[in-house]
Amino acid sequence: MTEPPIGGPTQGGPYEPNAGAGQAQPGTASGPDAVRMDKDRERAEPELHDQEEPFEGPLHMLSQAAWQVVLLTGIASLILGILVLLWPGATLLAVGVLFGLYLLVSGVFQLVAAFGTHKKTSLRVLAFLSGTLSILLGLLCFRGPMQSILLLALWIGIGWLIRGVTQTMAAISDKRMPARGWQIFLGIVTFIAGIVLIDSPFQSVAVLTLVGGWWLIIVGIVEIITSIRIKGRTKDIPQTV
């Protein structure tokens, strides 16, 4: 029998722990590929941290703007009502001037309609007469504060008078009108208010000014309270919706 050569391969030899230490394990990258993957991971991590937060949703923005607009309107109404009560004479003068400007502008538009818009002769004549009368009344308002206040009171009084008669007759003739009794009552009250305003225009306009001032104050307080409630409810609205 011959013995195997010394130093040759043997089976069942002892385990060498350092065997294959320099070889790549399956499923892992080594060499240039591993370096490239590490660089890609380093570039991706800052991008994840630098992501912008979602924009504020339109519903939340609308709710924020809503309570701010209501608050500003309430404050403006409150200030205007206080000014009306403190200086009713100046308020009447300003209203008279605005009424005169309204008559002038409406008269000019009616004259333009008389010469360019209306095709029938009857409509042109009516528009011309109405526009001329509006311009004359508007110029009369600028002659003095008393004339403008008087015209304003007569204008409102005549309008209430016509409205009261029309509303009362319509409610009496139509038995199926909803809230018919209240419509008749409101028409009669409007008719009487028109007569009172025409009979004593200066005192009536002064009373209307005081009523308007208190009404503006009440409306301003209510709108300020409403804006505070709206602001409290905006917390329940998601910012991203």
Side-chain angles (χ1 to χ4, degrees):
M1 295 180 62
T2 59
E3 295 180 359
I6 299 174
T10 57
Q11 296 180 359
Y15 173 73
E16 297 180 0
N18 294 329
Q23 297 179 0
Q25 299 295 327
T28 59
S30 60
D33 295 336
V35 175
R36 185 170 58 253
M37 291 177 64
D38 292 338
K39 291 183 179 179
D40 294 340
R41 190 180 299 109
E42 291 176 358
R43 286 196 299 265
E45 287 179 356
E47 294 179 359
L48 294 176
H49 292 292
D50 295 340
Q51 286 183 353
E52 297 182 356
E53 296 182 358
F55 293 101
E56 189 176 19
L59 185 59
H60 190 269
M61 295 175 61
L62 182 62
S63 63
Q64 292 290 336
W67 76 265
Q68 294 175 1
V69 171
V70 175
L71 178 61
L72 292 177
T73 306
I75 294 175
S77 299
L78 183 61
I79 294 175
L80 183 59
I82 294 174
L83 293 177
V84 169
L85 294 180
L86 291 179
W87 296 286
T91 303
L92 287 176
L93 179 61
V95 172
V97 172
L98 292 176
F99 180 65
L101 289 174
Y102 163 74
L103 290 176
L104 285 177
V105 173
S106 63
V108 170
F109 277 109
Q110 290 177 23
L111 289 180
V112 172
F115 289 103
T117 304
H118 299 300
K119 296 181 179 180
K120 294 183 179 181
T121 305
S122 58
L123 294 178
R124 288 187 175 184
V125 172
L126 289 176
F128 178 79
L129 293 177
S130 178
T132 304
L133 181 60
S134 296
I135 292 177
L136 292 177
L137 292 176
L139 294 176
L140 183 61
C141 288
F142 291 102
R143 294 188 59 184
M146 304 305 293
Q147 286 85 349
S148 62
I149 295 173
L150 177 61
L151 286 176
L152 177 61
L154 293 177
W155 187 281
I156 297 175
I158 294 173
W160 284 1
L161 193 67
I162 298 174
R163 179 180 176 84
V165 172
T166 305
Q167 188 172 3
T168 303
M169 296 302 296
I172 292 175
S173 60
D174 190 1
K175 297 182 179 180
R176 296 178 297 178
M177 179 180 291
R180 182 166 170 260
W182 286 106
Q183 294 291 336
I184 296 175
F185 174 75
L186 184 60
I188 295 174
V189 171
T190 306
F191 176 79
I192 295 174
I195 294 178
V196 172
L197 195 58
I198 294 173
D199 182 64
S200 55
F202 295 104
Q203 293 84 355
S204 301
V205 171
V207 172
L208 288 177
T209 303
L210 294 177
V211 173
W214 284 110
W215 178 78
L216 287 172
I217 290 176
I218 294 173
V219 169
I221 294 174
V222 171
E223 289 184 345
I224 291 174
I225 296 174
T226 303
S227 66
I228 295 174
R229 293 183 177 179
I230 294 175
K231 182 181 179 181
R233 293 184 179 181
T234 54
K235 299 178 182 178
D236 301 332
I237 300 177
Q239 294 187 359
T240 57
V241 176

